[in-house]
Amino acid sequence: VEHPFIFPLSNPNSKAECTAEQAYKWTNGKATFAAGSPFEPVTLEDGVTRYPSQCNNMFLFPGIGLAASVAKIERITDDMLYQASIACANAVKDSDRAQGRVYPHVNQIRRVSLEVATAVAKAAIDEGMSRVFTEKDIPNLETLIADKMYTPAYVPLVQRYPIPH
């Protein structure tokens, strides 16, 4: 196989079947690598840096939960999980792939969660399983869900005043 997929999923890293560095070295940098725990980037002999992905549920579960909550879905079906995985796969950009990532960069988690939630909610509508959304909501579904997303904005609990000199 010219470009093998290597997914050592055992945790923690000390128990992984191989490291990212080993996978890239053994395949001359041609492996697609994702692990159950995060690994540091690896710079290859040609100077190219590869960024291993962490392969777990962090890109799916927040969006699935958001959709279940906002769309009032009582049961997640196989098709909803399938649509979530497609949304996650579609969220991987060419720039991610060029760096060797299997998943988007973690700083994209909110965007990916929204895309996953939208796909799951649409599947729920198609299956008649959303208790609040109907087909008429589909054109605005992403906005309707985004409006319900929690945004962590922290305000100081204590007002700080300058100390006079």
Side-chain angles (χ1 to χ4, degrees):
V1 176
E2 187 175 343
H3 295 279
F5 282 64
I6 300 175
F7 291 8
L9 300 178
S10 297
N11 289 318
N13 285 354
S14 62
K15 303 287 185 195
E17 292 75 9
C18 74
T19 66
E21 186 173 12
Q22 290 168 329
Y24 294 133
K25 181 178 179 184
W26 296 337
T27 64
N28 296 316
K30 293 182 179 181
T32 297
F33 182 91
S37 295
F39 277 89
E40 292 297 317
V42 176
T43 302
L44 306 173
E45 288 182 16
D46 62 3
V48 172
T49 301
R50 304 288 288 190
Y51 296 85
S53 290
Q54 186 173 350
C55 184
N56 63 25
N57 58 27
M58 69 184 233
F59 281 105
L60 292 179
F61 283 10
I64 293 169
L66 178 62
S69 174
V70 173
K72 304 290 187 226
I73 305 167
E74 290 185 9
R75 184 173 58 88
I76 302 299
T77 65
D78 288 347
D79 188 58
M80 290 178 208
L81 293 175
Y82 178 68
Q83 296 305 323
S85 66
I86 290 173
C88 184
N90 288 338
V92 180
K93 305 293 183 204
D94 289 340
S95 58
D96 295 318
R97 287 185 194 90
Q99 294 179 336
R101 296 184 198 278
V102 177
Y103 292 95
H105 191 279
V106 71
N107 67 7
Q108 296 298 307
I109 189 72
R110 288 181 59 81
R111 174 184 62 84
V112 176
S113 294
L114 178 58
E115 291 172 13
V116 167
T118 302
V120 170
K122 182 183 180 308
I125 293 167
D126 292 344
E127 295 179 39
M129 296 186 69
S130 172
R131 289 187 289 142
V132 294
F133 295 137
T134 65
E135 286 188 15
K136 71 175 178 57
D137 294 309
I138 290 174
N140 301 313
L141 194 56
E142 186 171 295
T143 301
L144 292 167
I145 294 170
D147 288 346
K148 300 292 184 182
M149 283 182 81
Y150 174 74
T151 302
Y154 302 100
V155 295
L157 296 177
V158 177
Q159 178 67 39
R160 299 192 186 267
Y161 297 98
I163 299 173
H165 289 58

